Amino acid sequence: MPHIALLSFGPTQIALIALLFVWAGFVRSGLGFGGAALGLPLMLFLNDQPLFWLPIIGTHLLFFSALTLRTRLGNVDWAYLRRAAAWVIPAALVGIFGLLNLPNRLLVVFVYSVTLLYACLWLLDLEIRSDRDWIDRFLLVAGGYVAGTSLSGAPLMVAVFMRNISPQQLRNTMFVLWFVLVSVKMTTFAAVGVTLNFGTALALLPVAAVGHVMGLYTHEYILRNDRLFRRAIGGVLLVICVLGFWKLSS
């Protein structure tokens, strides 16, 4: 993929990119997951190359998860995290292989398809539930694969983590998992020569920080109004996916 600098976008596009990274940072810290799942579909309207956005999102996730966890590593369910990682990480490696080898158009279809699933579930107030070990393993593998391909597999895995660890440890444990997964993905990117867009990531770090701080302050409020928040987001995502598929078909 050719190198694309932030300044190659127009002023209006740069302003929209800044807003999208505020949004992604807000969701990531407010929910503890979902920054890529709720941000990437919008970013693809400005540049339809997932491999342009994912290294930037990954850099931000590494930075902010490390920042959040620096004083909270004692509030992580390490025992369950190790058990879950045995299923998630191998599936994520397969997903990364797909990301690097699938045609770009197919990757974009994949991103919008996964997002459409989340949109329908949230809009209809349906939840991904797990009450059996084999369902847990299936969701962890599916979530790991989606995370490896597009970093948007968290909603699938959260259903499993919610059943097995306390709510107080959920966000921190998910942050550790994402730090590991993104470290693997970024290392793979560097090894195969994918442009990491590190300069663009640094340039967008301040605006992502604004969203991150907003999410930290509203985390408890979002949790108390989780159902309303998800239904509203589901409706917006449904419109985004319809527009995304329409753009692909035109």
Side-chain angles (χ1 to χ4, degrees):
M1 184 187 72
H3 177 69
I4 303 172
L6 184 61
L7 292 178
S8 64
F9 293 94
T12 302
Q13 289 177 311
I14 291 175
L16 290 173
I17 290 170
L19 287 174
L20 289 178
F21 276 90
V22 170
W23 167 245
F26 169 75
V27 172
R28 184 183 303 115
S29 59
L31 283 178
F33 64 92
L38 302 187
L40 183 59
L42 287 164
M43 296 172 191
L44 291 175
F45 281 99
L46 298 173
N47 181 348
D48 65 355
Q49 303 283 328
L51 278 174
F52 171 75
W53 299 111
L54 290 173
I56 301 171
I57 296 171
T59 299
H60 288 181
L61 197 149
L62 289 176
F63 177 82
F64 289 115
S65 59
L67 191 66
T68 302
L69 289 168
R70 71 190 190 284
T71 59
R72 300 174 182 173
L73 289 175
N75 193 28
V76 172
D77 191 328
W78 293 102
Y80 183 73
L81 182 62
R82 285 192 292 269
R83 294 200 300 273
W87 295 95
V88 172
I89 292 178
L93 291 172
V94 176
I96 293 171
F97 178 82
L99 171 63
L100 295 173
N101 290 278
L102 291 174
N104 185 76
R105 183 180 178 84
L106 188 56
L107 287 175
V108 175
V109 170
F110 180 83
V111 170
Y112 282 125
S113 297
V114 171
T115 306
L116 182 62
L117 170 64
Y118 297 154
C120 292
L121 290 173
W122 292 344
L123 182 61
L124 298 174
D125 201 19
L126 301 175
E127 294 185 8
I128 301 173
R129 293 185 179 274
S130 173
D131 56 5
R132 302 181 191 278
D133 289 341
W134 72 268
I135 298 178
D136 281 1
R137 291 191 288 270
F138 171 78
L139 290 174
L140 290 174
V141 169
Y145 178 80
V146 174
T149 305
S150 64
L151 283 179
S152 56
L156 296 172
M157 293 183 281
V158 165
V160 182
F161 276 69
M162 287 179 65
R163 188 171 81 90
N164 290 279
I165 63 178
S166 68
Q168 294 75 22
Q169 293 181 308
L170 177 63
R171 183 173 65 164
N172 294 336
T173 305
M174 291 300 298
F175 268 144
V176 174
L177 177 63
W178 281 110
F179 189 91
V180 173
L181 289 176
V182 174
S183 296
V184 172
K185 175 170 279 193
M186 295 292 281
T187 301
T188 305
F189 283 167
V192 302
V194 173
T195 303
L196 298 182
N197 299 308
F198 192 63
T200 299
L202 287 179
L204 291 169
L205 198 59
V207 294
V210 172
H212 181 80
V213 173
M214 291 169 58
L216 290 177
Y217 277 106
T218 56
H219 176 64
E220 294 300 327
Y221 175 80
I222 290 173
L223 290 183
R224 290 195 300 270
N225 297 275
D226 180 66
R227 180 170 295 179
L228 177 62
F229 182 81
R230 288 177 186 247
R231 291 188 71 176
I233 295 301
V236 173
L237 286 180
L238 181 61
V239 174
I240 291 169
C241 290
V242 170
L243 292 175
F245 282 122
W246 176 79
K247 182 182 177 183
L248 282 172
S249 64
S250 62

